[in-house]
Amino acid sequence: MSFRRKGILSFALFIGICTIVLLLFVSCLPSTHYGTEEEADAAAPYLITAAGGQQELPAVQVDELPAEAEPVTVPAAVPSALPEALPEAVPDAVPGAEPEQDSNVGTTLFHPLSEDTKPVPSSVTTNTYVPIVPPKNTGKTSSKVSIPVLNYHSVAIDPGNIVVISPDKLEAQMAYLHDHGYTPLSLDAFIRLLEGDTSEKAPEKPILLTFDDGYLDNYEQAMPILAKYGFPATLFVSPGMTEQDGYLNWDQIKKMQAGGWDIQPHGMSHPHLPKLTADEQAYEIVEARKQIEEHLGTKADIFCYPYGERNKTTLKLLKQHGFRYAFTIDQGYATNEQSPFLLKRLFVNGEEDLQAFEAQLLKRK
Ligand SMILES: [Zn+2]
């Protein structure tokens, strides 16, 4: 073998060895290697270059992050005003339970909070599933109901006093309501309408007439005028003031009730409720109701705030003691969109004429 042939063979052998080494190297490249997470974390990040080599990426400099990162605002976990009643139809809802994260696709999870131990397919998040329950047919409507509630006090001749209306003016206003198709309601009928009860046909122009304080002239003047038109009314009385001069006695109140008047509480002594302690307020509210119920034998769970004044304690007490509604002297129609304890009324100014009465009735809607 000549020196030249030896050289060629040696070169071919070298090429063959190089090819084997190259194949072994290619088979070990990262593209085919799925290391464990630990390995991945431990290894420095690499960039595979176009030439097939590896280039180490620069390490992320932690101190290059913005020095003043935006603080994370965590919303208050529990809103202060939670609805009183939670929807009934939320089975298996567990407050605070996080939906399960299923990272193992294709496996089966057992719901740890379910009484039923059957396997639950991982694709169903059982604790957020809420079946759609059709609403019960209660015969009630949810559309807006808006009814004017007139607020009278004394019926007498007292020029300059806006809370006193003369019998003549009251008569003219009742005639106006009658002639313009208004239907004064009993308190029960008013509440049924407000609550959307459609079991009876609603009058075209319903209205509620209310008289505050229990003045003797309500019996002597107002009752005969209203009776002439067959109008019912509601009397808010302070039992602690009955039997006093200028105020109704129980015998008269009973006769008014028999004549179509609903009798409801207005505090025992017509106090400024927010100036009282909780216990004093409770006495004023509950005792007034109790005395009316004892004297008349009928429910007295619709309150009327003396001077229209109330605070949070007042509202809490009314709710706590099972009152259903309360009237204010906030001006406007009473609607089913108002809080049941903040029903509005229209103050009738005894000094104003019939035109002003009509305008107030129409504009406040
Ligand atoms: Zn009053």
Side-chain angles (χ1 to χ4, degrees):
M1 194 181 287
S2 69
F3 178 74
R4 186 181 169 86
R5 274 194 182 170
K6 264 187 187 173
I8 291 167
L9 277 174
S10 295
F11 181 71
L13 190 61
F14 174 71
I15 293 297
I17 289 167
C18 281
T19 305
I20 290 164
V21 167
L22 186 67
L23 284 171
L24 281 172
F25 176 71
V26 167
S27 70
C28 291
L29 278 178
S31 61
T32 57
H33 173 69
Y34 299 97
T36 64
E37 283 185 23
E38 289 76 15
E39 284 176 305
D41 286 343
Y46 285 93
L47 179 69
I48 309 302
T49 63
Q54 293 180 346
Q55 178 187 330
E56 193 170 345
L57 288 174
V60 175
Q61 295 297 307
V62 176
D63 58 2
E64 282 175 353
L65 290 171
E68 291 180 16
E70 284 285 316
V72 178
T73 308
V74 181
V78 183
S80 57
L82 278 176
E84 291 283 323
L86 289 168
E88 284 176 16
V90 186
D92 298 335
V94 181
E98 290 293 324
E100 288 155 337
Q101 292 295 319
D102 178 16
S103 57
N104 300 316
V105 178
T107 61
T108 302
L109 291 178
F110 287 85
H111 197 300
L113 301 168
S114 173
E115 287 177 18
D116 188 350
T117 53
K118 275 188 285 183
V120 179
S122 61
S123 59
V124 177
T125 315
T126 53
N127 59 353
T128 56
Y129 171 69
V130 181
I132 297 166
V133 180
K136 288 178 194 160
N137 185 4
T138 55
K140 291 184 176 180
T141 172
S142 58
S143 57
K144 184 174 179 179
V145 179
S146 184
I147 305 170
V149 180
L150 298 183
N151 171 210
Y152 294 98
H153 293 82
S154 180
V155 183
I157 297 173
D158 187 5
N161 190 343
I162 61 167
V163 297
V164 180
I165 188 168
S166 73
D168 284 351
K169 273 191 179 172
L170 182 67
E171 164 92 46
Q173 291 180 0
M174 296 304 109
Y176 172 90
L177 296 179
H178 176 266
D179 295 347
H180 289 80
Y182 283 89
T183 305
L185 303 168
S186 68
L187 190 56
D188 277 348
F190 166 83
I191 289 170
R192 284 198 300 273
L193 262 189
L194 200 67
E195 292 179 349
D197 188 337
T198 54
S199 58
E200 53 193 294
K201 190 174 180 290
E204 202 180 321
K205 288 180 174 181
I207 193 167
L208 184 70
L209 310 175
T210 67
F211 291 76
D212 290 8
D213 303 343
Y215 297 105
L216 174 60
D217 55 47
N218 288 185
Y219 174 79
E220 293 177 338
Q221 303 289 344
M223 190 169 71
I225 294 169
L226 269 63
K228 200 174 142 184
Y229 296 93
F231 288 171
T234 299
L235 175 74
F236 292 112
V237 69
S238 294
M241 289 153 71
T242 53
E243 313 284 344
Q244 294 180 19
D245 268 1
Y247 292 91
L248 297 161
N249 62 37
W250 285 108
D251 187 44
Q252 290 157 341
I253 293 170
K254 279 179 192 168
K255 286 178 180 162
M256 292 174 82
Q257 187 184 44
W261 290 55
D262 291 293
I263 318 298
Q264 298 291 333
H266 195 39
M268 265 307 282
S269 63
H270 204 278
H272 293 278
L273 286 171
K275 291 183 178 170
L276 304 183
T277 65
D279 283 350
E280 289 167 342
Q281 284 204 45
Y283 173 80
E284 285 284 345
I285 293 167
V286 177
E287 184 65 15
R289 169 187 183 163
K290 184 171 155 242
Q291 291 205 9
I292 293 171
E293 291 182 343
E294 281 177 1
H295 277 279
L296 304 177
T298 46
K299 277 247 173 214
D301 54 2
I302 312 294
F303 196 70
C304 177
Y305 305 103
Y307 311 102
E309 294 173 359
R310 71 276 171 180
N311 60 12
K312 279 184 185 171
T313 305
T314 324
L315 299 177
K316 215 162 108 185
L317 286 167
L318 288 173
K319 195 169 191 180
Q320 194 181 320
H321 290 282
F323 281 81
R324 290 188 292 154
Y325 290 92
F327 286 92
T328 66
I329 53 171
D330 299 348
Q331 297 302 293
Y333 276 37
T335 78
N336 58 349
E337 291 172 356
Q338 289 157 9
S339 154
F341 296 133
L342 296 172
L343 295 181
K344 294 182 177 181
R345 295 189 291 172
L346 297 171
F347 171 72
V348 180
N349 182 334
E351 290 292 291
E352 289 183 348
D353 60 15
L354 196 59
Q355 269 186 320
F357 172 78
E358 181 183 35
Q360 186 193 29
L361 201 49
L362 299 178
K363 85 171 179 199
R364 288 282 185 176
K365 259 186 176 178

